[in-house]
């Protein structure tokens, strides 16, 4: 049974979901179909991934009721500002082929243009009030971004999706989320970024501590990392295009890590992020057009 998290507005979200960052658009429907057949009921995409259409196609083809799948997507920074973000919802909803998006996030803060970020978030608040989205949130927001946002808007984000894996745990940021009743959702939850952007560094998949715990339980390293998230109360959205890994990453509900094992994994934190530094995100360096269709 997948754990269910209750968001701060009462909406229920499966804790374990499926991500599609870097999944090529023409492989997305197949990957998502495999995930839905396996049992995943939360799919995480983003306007910037260019594959929302494949996500929508797979959900429609699955035969599952719309209400049985939790769809999450993100507004890219190039579409920030109140009116542009309202329009960005229409673009994403059209590509996904849905009327309602379950969780809509701002993909990044724009620290140098925070007014635009606030305008974008106010658009999310309006979409929520109109029932076009069931919950709203943010991604890659640091404590200062959260504080600034909370000071200028009405609705506390339901979710902050941030980089969390054993080599980068962001304990302070997780505490800041928890203080506000915000669910932390881990991206790169099994440390994919330590592997595909590892530049020669060791990856979480080959970490001796994680492998020893995996051996203890007769599981894989990825399964241990996913249990670690779930048992610490986070949502996690692993990505794969490989059917056997899609199944492996969902097969985590019949074993439990000991408290001591959770602490040993916490202690692997190196304090070095794999993704871009949230404070240096600018339109100049990261802006790009999100197509209408
Ligand atoms: P993950 O931690 O999910 O790792 C994915 C990588 O690990 C892929 O290279 C995948 O390759 C490989 N992999 C998957 N399963 C296994 C396994 N069981 N054993 C060994 N290798 C495995 O990293 P992601 O960065 O993809 O993050 C997951 C999701 O988080 C994204 O898809 C996206 O939805 C979200 N995300 C959000 C960001 C944000 O800024 N908000 C940034 C980055 C990600 P293969 O596909 O070949 O199996």
């Amino acid at each position: 049974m997948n754990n269910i998290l209750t968001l701060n507005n009462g909406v229920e979200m499966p804790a374990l979901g499926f991500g599609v960052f870097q999944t090529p658009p023409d492989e997305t429907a197949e990957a998502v179909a495999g995930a839905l057949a396996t049992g995943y009921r939360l799919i995480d995409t983003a306007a910037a991934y260019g594959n929302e259409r494949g996500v929508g196609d797979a959900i429609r083809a699955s035969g599952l009721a719309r209400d049985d799948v939790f769809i999450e997507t993100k507004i890219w920074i190039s579409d920030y500002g109140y009116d542009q973000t309202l329009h960005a919802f229409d673009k994403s909803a059209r590509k996904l082929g849905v009327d309602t998006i379950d969780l809509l996030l701002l993909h990044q803060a724009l620290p140098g243009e925070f007014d635009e970020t606030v305008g974008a978030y106010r658009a999310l608040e309006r979409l929520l009030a109109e029932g076009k989205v069931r919950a709203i949130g943010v991604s890659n927001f640091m404590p200062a971004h959260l504080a600034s946002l909370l000071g200028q808007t009405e609705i506390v984000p339901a979710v902050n999706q941030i980089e969390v894996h054993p080599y980068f745990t962001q304990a302070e940021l997780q505490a800041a989320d928890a203080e506000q009743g915000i669910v932390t959702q881990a991206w790169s939850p099994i440390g994919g970024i330590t592997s595909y952007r590892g530049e020669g560094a060791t990856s979480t998949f080959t970490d001796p501590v994680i492998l020893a715990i995996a051996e203890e339980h007769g599981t894989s390293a990825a399964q241990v990392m996913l249990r670690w998230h779930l048992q610490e109360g986070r949502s996690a959205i692993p990505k794969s295009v490989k059917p056997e890994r899609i199944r492996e990453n969902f097969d985590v509900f019949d074993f439990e890590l000991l408290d001591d094992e959770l602490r040993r994994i916490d202690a692997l934190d190196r304090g070095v992020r794999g993704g871009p530094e949230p404070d240096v995100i600018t339109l100049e360096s990261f802006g790009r057009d999100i197509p209408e269709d």
Side-chain angles (χ1 to χ4, degrees), residues 9-248:
N9 66 351
V11 166
E12 294 188 332
M13 178 179 86
L16 182 60
F18 184 70
V20 295
F21 173 49
Q22 300 183 117
T23 302
D26 61 350
E27 292 175 37
T28 300
E30 193 182 337
V32 173
L36 293 172
T38 301
Y40 294 82
R41 292 293 180 266
L42 158 60
I43 310 296
D44 176 70
T45 181
Y49 301 168
N51 57 17
E52 289 171 309
R53 198 173 293 282
V55 171
D57 288 346
I59 292 171
R60 269 188 307 285
S62 70
L64 290 164
R66 170 68 191 87
D67 290 356
D68 288 340
V69 185
F70 191 99
I71 304 178
E72 175 173 357
T73 192
K74 317 183 192 80
I75 308 283
W76 188 239
I77 53 172
S78 310
D79 282 333
Y80 282 7
Y82 188 78
D83 291 333
Q84 269 174 283
T85 297
L86 289 177
H87 182 61
F89 165 84
D90 291 335
K91 288 195 283 189
S92 284
R94 188 160 63 233
K95 290 173 196 168
L96 288 161
V98 297
D99 300 322
T100 311
I101 290 171
D102 296 285
L103 176 60
L104 188 58
L105 307 181
L106 298 187
H107 206 141
Q108 300 274 352
L110 264 183
E113 281 149 287
F114 208 73
D115 285 354
E116 294 295 298
T117 310
V118 170
Y121 194 79
R122 290 198 176 124
L124 298 193
E125 292 181 322
R126 172 164 162 191
L127 293 164
L128 183 68
E130 290 176 344
K132 292 181 174 168
V133 300
R134 297 176 63 230
I136 60 176
V138 295
S139 176
N140 299 305
F141 270 47
M142 298 304 287
H145 307 140
L146 282 178
S148 182
L149 186 77
L150 291 172
Q152 300 178 66
T153 57
E154 298 291 325
I155 311 269
V156 176
V159 167
N160 189 10
Q161 184 185 115
I162 58 170
E163 180 178 346
V164 184
H165 48 72
Y167 288 173
F168 191 59
T169 61
Q170 307 211 69
E172 270 178 40
L173 177 49
Q174 288 196 54
D177 286 346
E179 204 172 300
Q180 299 295 338
I182 300 170
V183 166
T184 296
Q185 185 173 56
W187 68 249
S188 250
I190 51 179
I193 200 159
T194 66
S195 165
Y196 59 71
R197 300 245 169 93
E199 287 150 18
T202 53
S203 83
T204 50
F205 298 111
T206 55
D207 184 274
V209 171
I210 297 172
L211 286 175
I213 296 172
E215 196 177 340
E216 201 60 42
H217 291 275
T219 67
S220 70
Q223 289 170 323
V224 164
M225 291 186 266
L226 292 167
R227 273 312 303 182
W228 170 70
H229 289 292
L230 297 177
Q231 288 182 225
E232 293 193 350
R234 288 183 291 278
S235 172
I237 44 169
K239 170 265 179 188
S240 181
V241 292
K242 301 198 166 61
E244 67 282 7
R245 286 179 174 174
I246 292 173
R247 288 192 291 272
E248 173 188 328

